[in-house]
Amino acid sequence: MVSEYDRGAVPAGLVTRRELRSMNLSPGRNAGPIAILRCKPCATRPNWSCRHPTRGYLLRVDLAVPKRTPTLDQEWALDRAMAARQTCPVPTCRRRYEFCLPLKTLGSCLECFDGTPADPTTYIAPRTKHLLAA
């Protein structure tokens, strides 16, 4: 049976995933949740076990490890993947925006779809790999 704690009554050394992320840690060697953080409605019913989706899972801080930092090649691959989602596929346009385009529904940027003028501040210049390494 996993122990349950109310908010504000959690012992030191147990934190949620979100708190681990704010400390720049990953779960690491935590095999699973050590305890359950009960939701607010269940705090008034001490004999009940919390089954609500708002409950949290507590992990041990001493088993957490520092987050890994991505390599330059991994960052480059992520940038290429985002570029595919942010670049208009129309051959006469090929602009890259700061947001993902609705390619499944419209198939292009809004400017190419219906002629709406785009805000110039939403464009970003294309990046090349040799500029990233510098």
Side-chain angles (χ1 to χ4, degrees):
M1 179 100 188
V2 178
S3 57
E4 295 184 0
Y5 296 101
D6 291 329
R7 298 177 190 275
V10 177
L14 295 180
V15 294
T16 61
R17 278 183 163 282
R18 185 172 289 182
E19 291 169 333
L20 276 180
R21 191 178 333 127
S22 68
M23 292 188 270
N24 284 330
L25 296 172
S26 65
R29 296 184 303 270
N30 279 296
I34 304 298
I36 293 177
L37 180 64
R38 293 165 53 98
C39 64
K40 288 182 182 180
C42 289
T44 59
R45 302 176 184 100
N47 296 334
W48 289 19
S49 178
C50 183
R51 300 276 183 228
H52 293 102
T54 56
R55 69 181 180 270
Y57 295 106
L58 299 171
L59 303 168
R60 290 176 44 184
V61 177
D62 58 342
L63 295 179
V65 295
K67 282 186 182 178
R68 294 182 301 171
T69 56
T71 64
L72 285 177
D73 286 335
Q74 288 172 333
E75 287 184 8
W76 175 246
L78 289 172
D79 185 57
R80 284 185 298 176
M82 286 306 294
R85 297 177 66 194
Q86 295 172 340
T87 305
C88 180
V90 177
T92 57
C93 181
R94 303 297 295 169
R95 289 190 186 115
R96 182 171 176 186
Y97 293 82
E98 292 179 345
F99 53 88
C100 293
L101 297 174
L103 298 177
K104 286 186 179 180
T105 56
L106 300 182
S108 64
C109 64
L110 192 59
E111 185 177 87
C112 293
F113 181 72
D114 64 358
T116 304
D119 184 12
T121 61
T122 59
Y123 306 141
I124 55 176
R127 294 168 45 176
T128 58
K129 190 170 185 176
H130 72 278
L131 292 177
L132 287 176

